[in-house]
Coordinates of all heavy atoms in Angstrom, one line a residue:
V80 N 102.9 119.9 114.9 CA 103.6 118.7 115.4 C 102.5 118.0 116.2 O 102.1 118.4 117.3 CB 104.8 119.1 116.3 CG1 105.4 117.9 117.0 CG2 105.8 119.8 115.5
I93 N 103.4 113.5 127.8 CA 102.9 114.8 127.3 C 103.9 115.9 127.7 O 104.3 116.1 128.9 CB 101.5 115.1 127.9 CG1 100.5 114.1 127.4 CG2 101.1 116.5 127.4 CD1 99.2 114.2 128.0
G94 N 104.5 116.5 126.6 CA 105.4 117.6 126.8 C 104.7 118.9 126.7 O 103.5 119.1 126.8
E95 N 105.6 120.0 126.5 CA 105.1 121.3 126.5 C 104.7 121.8 125.1 O 103.5 122.0 124.8 CB 106.3 122.2 127.1 CG 106.0 123.6 127.2 CD 107.3 124.3 127.8 OE1 107.9 123.7 128.8 OE2 107.7 125.3 127.3
A96 N 105.7 122.0 124.3 CA 105.5 122.5 122.9 C 106.7 122.1 122.0 O 107.8 121.9 122.5 CB 105.4 124.0 123.0
P97 N 106.5 122.1 120.7 CA 107.6 121.8 119.8 C 108.7 122.9 119.9 O 108.4 124.1 120.1 CB 107.0 121.8 118.4 CG 105.5 121.8 118.6 CD 105.2 122.3 120.0
G98 N 109.9 122.5 119.7 CA 111.0 123.4 119.6 C 111.4 123.5 118.1 O 110.7 123.0 117.2
A99 N 112.6 124.0 117.8 CA 113.0 124.2 116.4 C 113.1 122.9 115.7 O 112.7 122.8 114.5 CB 114.4 124.9 116.4
E101 N 111.6 120.0 116.2 CA 110.3 119.4 116.1 C 109.5 120.1 115.0 O 108.8 119.5 114.2 CB 109.5 119.4 117.4 CG 110.1 118.5 118.5 CD 111.4 119.0 119.1 OE1 111.7 120.2 119.1 OE2 112.1 118.2 119.7
L106 N 107.7 116.2 114.2 CA 107.5 115.1 115.2 C 107.9 115.6 116.5 O 108.9 116.4 116.6 CB 108.4 113.9 114.8 CG 108.0 113.1 113.7 CD1 109.1 112.1 113.3 CD2 106.7 112.3 114.0
P107 N 107.2 115.2 117.6 CA 107.6 115.7 118.9 C 108.9 115.0 119.4 O 109.2 113.9 119.1 CB 106.4 115.3 119.8 CG 105.8 114.1 119.1 CD 106.1 114.3 117.6
F108 N 109.6 115.8 120.3 CA 110.7 115.2 121.0 C 111.8 114.5 120.1 O 112.0 113.4 120.2 CB 110.3 114.3 122.1 CG 109.8 115.1 123.3 CD1 108.4 115.2 123.5 CD2 110.6 115.7 124.2 CE1 107.9 116.0 124.6 CE2 110.1 116.4 125.3 CZ 108.8 116.6 125.5
V109 N 112.3 115.3 119.1 CA 113.3 114.8 118.3 C 114.7 115.5 118.4 O 115.6 115.1 117.8 CB 112.9 114.7 116.8 CG1 111.8 113.7 116.5 CG2 112.4 116.1 116.3
G110 N 114.7 116.6 119.2 CA 115.9 117.4 119.4 C 116.7 116.8 120.6 O 116.5 115.6 120.9
R111 N 117.5 117.6 121.2 CA 118.3 117.1 122.3 C 117.5 116.5 123.5 O 117.7 115.5 124.0 CB 119.2 118.2 122.9 CG 120.6 118.2 122.1 CD 121.5 119.2 122.8 NE 122.1 118.6 124.0 CZ 122.3 119.3 125.2 NH1 121.9 120.5 125.3 NH2 122.8 118.7 126.2
A112 N 116.4 117.3 123.9 CA 115.6 116.8 124.9 C 114.9 115.6 124.5 O 114.6 114.6 125.3 CB 114.5 117.9 125.3
G113 N 114.5 115.5 123.2 CA 113.9 114.3 122.7 C 114.8 113.1 122.8 O 114.3 111.9 123.1
L116 N 114.7 111.9 126.2 CA 113.4 111.2 126.5 C 113.4 109.8 125.9 O 113.0 108.9 126.6 CB 112.2 112.1 125.9 CG 110.8 111.4 126.1 CD1 110.5 111.3 127.6 CD2 109.7 112.2 125.4
I133 N 103.4 109.9 122.3 CA 104.1 111.2 122.7 C 103.4 112.4 122.1 O 103.3 112.4 120.8 CB 105.6 111.2 122.4 CG1 106.3 109.9 123.0 CG2 106.2 112.5 122.9 CD1 107.7 109.8 122.6
A134 N 103.0 113.3 122.9 CA 102.3 114.5 122.3 C 102.7 115.7 123.2 O 103.4 115.6 124.2 CB 100.8 114.3 122.3
N135 N 102.2 116.9 122.8 CA 102.5 118.1 123.5 C 101.2 118.8 123.8 O 100.2 118.7 123.2 CB 103.4 119.0 122.7 CG 104.9 118.6 122.6 OD1 105.5 118.4 123.7 ND2 105.4 118.4 121.5
V136 N 101.4 119.7 124.8 CA 100.2 120.6 125.1 C 99.9 121.5 123.9 O 98.8 121.7 123.5 CB 100.5 121.5 126.4 CG1 99.5 122.5 126.6 CG2 100.7 120.6 127.6
L137 N 101.0 122.1 123.3 CA 100.8 122.9 122.1 C 101.3 122.2 120.9 O 102.3 121.4 121.0 CB 101.7 124.2 122.2 CG 101.3 125.3 123.2 CD1 102.1 126.6 122.9 CD2 99.8 125.6 123.2
L174 N 105.3 115.7 131.4 CA 106.7 116.1 131.4 C 106.8 117.7 131.7 O 106.6 118.5 130.7 CB 107.4 115.8 130.1 CG 107.4 114.3 129.7 CD1 107.7 114.1 128.2 CD2 108.3 113.5 130.6
H209 N 110.8 117.7 133.1 CA 110.9 117.8 131.6 C 112.3 117.4 131.3 O 113.3 117.8 132.0 CB 110.6 119.2 131.2 CG 110.4 119.3 129.7 ND1 111.4 119.3 128.8 CD2 109.3 119.4 128.9 CE1 111.0 119.4 127.6 NE2 109.6 119.5 127.6
P210 N 112.5 116.7 130.2 CA 113.9 116.3 129.8 C 114.8 117.5 129.6 O 116.0 117.4 129.8 CB 113.7 115.5 128.5 CG 112.3 115.1 128.5 CD 111.5 116.0 129.3
S211 N 114.3 118.7 129.1 CA 115.1 119.8 128.9 C 115.7 120.3 130.3 O 116.8 120.7 130.4 CB 114.3 121.0 128.4 OG 113.8 120.7 127.1
Ligands
URA1 N1 110.0 120.0 124.3 C1 108.7 119.7 124.4 O1 108.1 119.9 125.4 N2 108.2 119.0 123.4 C2 108.9 118.7 122.3 O2 108.3 118.1 121.4 C3 110.2 119.0 122.3 C4 110.8 119.7 123.3

Side-chain angles (χ1 to χ4, degrees):
V80 175
I93 300 177
E95 180 180 317
E101 290 76 20
L106 285 170
F108 283 101
V109 289
R111 271 189 76 222
L116 179 63
I133 304 174
N135 282 307
V136 173
L137 293 191
L174 299 167
H209 192 285
S211 303

